[in-house]
Amino acid sequence: MNGGAALPDVPEVRVVGLPQLTSGFDLVARLDLGTHLKVHGPLEPIGGERLAALAERISLRGRGGAGFPFARKLRSVADAAIRRGVRPVVVVNGSEDEPACRKDTVLINRAPHLVLDGALLAAEALGARTLVVGVTRESTERSMERALAERGLSNRRGASMRARVQRNPVRMVTGESSALIRSADGGPARPPGRKVRASEAGVGGAPTLLSNAETFAQLAIAARTGADRYRGTGLRDEPGTVLLTVSGAVARPMVLEAPSGVPLRYVLQLAGAPPLPQGVLTGGYHGRWLDTATAHDVIVSRAALEAAGGALGAGAILPIGQDTCPLGEALLVARWLAGESAGQCGPCYRGLPAAARGLEDVLNGGGPAALEALRQITHAVKRRGACKHPDGSAAFIESSVSAFTDDLAAHVLGSGCGRPVRGVLPLQEEPAAGAGTGGGSGPSGQRLAVDWTLCQGHGLCADIVPELIQLGQDGYPSVAEASVPRWSQARAVRAVRRCPALALRLEEDPVKAPPGRSVLPMLQPGRGRRALGSGRE
């Protein structure tokens, strides 16, 4: 069961109604500064309070998933900067690391100056002299660096505005705001584990205005059109357009700009989804599933989707057809989410693999006991991590179990639903060499395996790598199907070396192993510790 193919950085772009964020996309592949000004026109500076009032009038919320009111964030940063007597920093979060999201990547690749317009507008209003644009992909790094050069902006000491691009690995956790701030300060791209508001102490300890790329682009549109004209599009309480990434079981994966309030069924129809999808995942892999009837009736807005039990999140919409096992699709995503852990807090690096194993037990006919165990694991994971990754991952698993009750009953009480797993939900391809975080997160390309003819149930391996191996009721280990994450490499090697019966080995993962490259030393069956070296730690 392999996950779906990764989306391209810039998929097809479609528009419902009049384009705003995507204006000019029908003319050129990328709007350079000259073309950008011809399409959108010049932009005049706006004072801090006027800018906050504008954001308030258009009900602008963060478009990265959390949906925090932008005006409140802007005022918070301004108040902290005045109180402390320091200049704030502005950070654009373009770290779109979820496999099902491409809207910010499309914006930075095709309309980078619209994003910069909003960021520089906020910087001018706040008196900021530092701008950081966080990205994770080579294409977005190249486009944004080119855009800064077109404006004559650089990180040169003494410049009136120091601007730079911060490139981080393509990892789920690197898009978390505290991870981006930490990396901008020269640290690893991981959440620090302590809750500090960026508006109080962000980059360099200064108050920091951090929001995602689409949010700044929306601000730039509103600053040009004015609040009244901006509010003429979309819903009264959520005006303007939204950018959606539509993938999964569709004929045409795409990024779509549409007015808020567009029927979800129309969005699915444009992308060529099945007429009667089995379910629609809304909000991406930290989101929630909608059933067929609900997806047919709901409109696209944050409030409407939440009321229906879904989520807008970062704008990812993923239908699946009737020809695949929905819980099997969810299991592939759950395993991927477990492998995306930063490996630094127990609820994440132990809890998420355990949740994936629990979901697998349910699918394999573990019965009501397995289902209850899964519910206990997901409940224990939430609200205990260094960031929101364990919370979002646990919510996804819980939604998967509750959304497909007929399939769940077939797996729990019978022999399964009988449908194959087609891997229609896109997953991330193996990152390029050197793309891991400083702490070595990401899949390693290998997995642990037990030679059952040698295993004697000593249980030492479960003590060394509890995130991958647990002991069953008979005292013998069960090995997770997920690849060994890079942050578990050292412990995995140690477990192999210390196995008293020489029953544990590392072998290539046929799904994750990069071609022609061996990451960890291999222990073949029947060979002792000395085959790996001295055997000393």
Side-chain angles (χ1 to χ4, degrees), residues 163-438:
R164 62 186 172 91
V165 178
Q166 173 69 35
R167 170 88 182 273
N168 288 326
V170 182
R171 301 288 300 147
M172 189 76 165
V173 295
T174 59
E176 205 270 340
S177 59
S178 64
L180 178 53
I181 288 172
R182 192 179 183 190
S183 69
D185 281 336
R190 301 183 194 167
R194 52 192 177 85
K195 311 289 185 182
V196 179
R197 291 196 304 174
S199 59
E200 291 290 335
V203 176
T208 298
L209 176 68
L210 187 149
S211 206
N212 109 304
E214 186 194 342
T215 312
F216 284 113
Q218 294 281 4
L219 184 67
I221 293 292
R224 283 184 167 92
T225 64
D228 291 339
R229 185 176 164 191
Y230 184 94
R231 291 178 61 85
T233 300
L235 299 170
R236 179 185 297 273
D237 54 346
E238 293 184 37
T241 62
V242 293
L243 280 182
L244 305 171
T245 310
V246 191
S247 64
V250 298
R252 298 178 300 279
M254 64 177 61
V255 168
L256 177 71
E257 182 180 15
S260 59
V262 66
L264 180 59
R265 64 179 179 275
Y266 183 61
V267 170
L268 298 174
Q269 181 183 349
L270 281 177
L276 291 173
Q278 187 174 185
V280 180
L281 180 59
T282 58
Y285 296 157
H286 281 177
R288 297 176 180 85
W289 290 95
L290 298 179
D291 60 33
T292 304
T294 304
H296 183 271
D297 295 335
V298 75
I299 61 173
V300 176
S301 80
R302 187 176 301 277
L305 286 169
E306 288 179 359
L312 179 60
I317 305 293
L318 301 104
I320 59 171
Q322 300 284 348
D323 60 345
T324 187
C325 171
L327 294 175
E329 296 286 347
L331 176 59
L332 293 181
V333 176
R335 289 171 177 168
W336 180 82
L337 289 168
E340 288 295 290
S341 167
Q344 60 182 11
C345 65
C348 195
Y349 84 82
R350 293 191 182 186
L352 295 188
R357 284 195 299 269
L359 181 58
E360 184 178 11
D361 289 344
V362 170
L363 266 64
N364 288 337
L371 182 59
E372 180 57 31
L374 174 61
R375 287 174 172 152
Q376 289 179 4
I377 292 169
T378 55
H379 179 75
V381 161
K382 290 187 291 187
R383 294 179 295 279
R384 296 175 57 223
C387 68
K388 295 298 183 181
H389 180 56
D391 295 40
S393 302
F396 167 80
I397 293 174
E398 289 176 337
S399 176
S400 302
V401 169
S402 62
F404 304 103
T405 52
D406 290 344
D407 293 88
L408 180 66
H411 283 282
V412 171
L413 303 176
S415 57
C417 66
R419 285 171 290 183
V421 179
R422 301 188 180 278
V424 298
L425 301 179
L427 296 178
Q428 210 77 276
E429 291 177 343
E430 176 72 15
T437 66

Side-chain angles (χ1 to χ4, degrees), residues 129-132 148 153-156 161-165:
R129 293 294 178 262
T130 302
L131 171 65
V132 179
L148 292 177
L153 295 172
S154 70
N155 197 31
R156 188 179 66 254
M161 170 64 71
R162 298 185 65 177
R164 62 186 172 91
V165 178

Side-chain angles (χ1 to χ4, degrees), residues 108-133:
I108 295 175
N109 271 283
R110 300 197 61 181
H113 290 286
L114 197 60
V115 177
L116 285 178
D117 276 348
L120 292 172
L121 199 64
E124 181 71 19
L126 290 169
R129 293 294 178 262
T130 302
L131 171 65
V132 179
V133 182

Side-chain angles (χ1 to χ4, degrees), residues 3 15 25 43 49 94 107 125 204 253 313 342 407 459 471 473 479 504 526:
V15 183
F25 281 22
L43 183 61
E49 186 49 43
L107 273 178
D407 293 88
L471 298 183
Q473 293 182 351
V479 180
L504 191 66

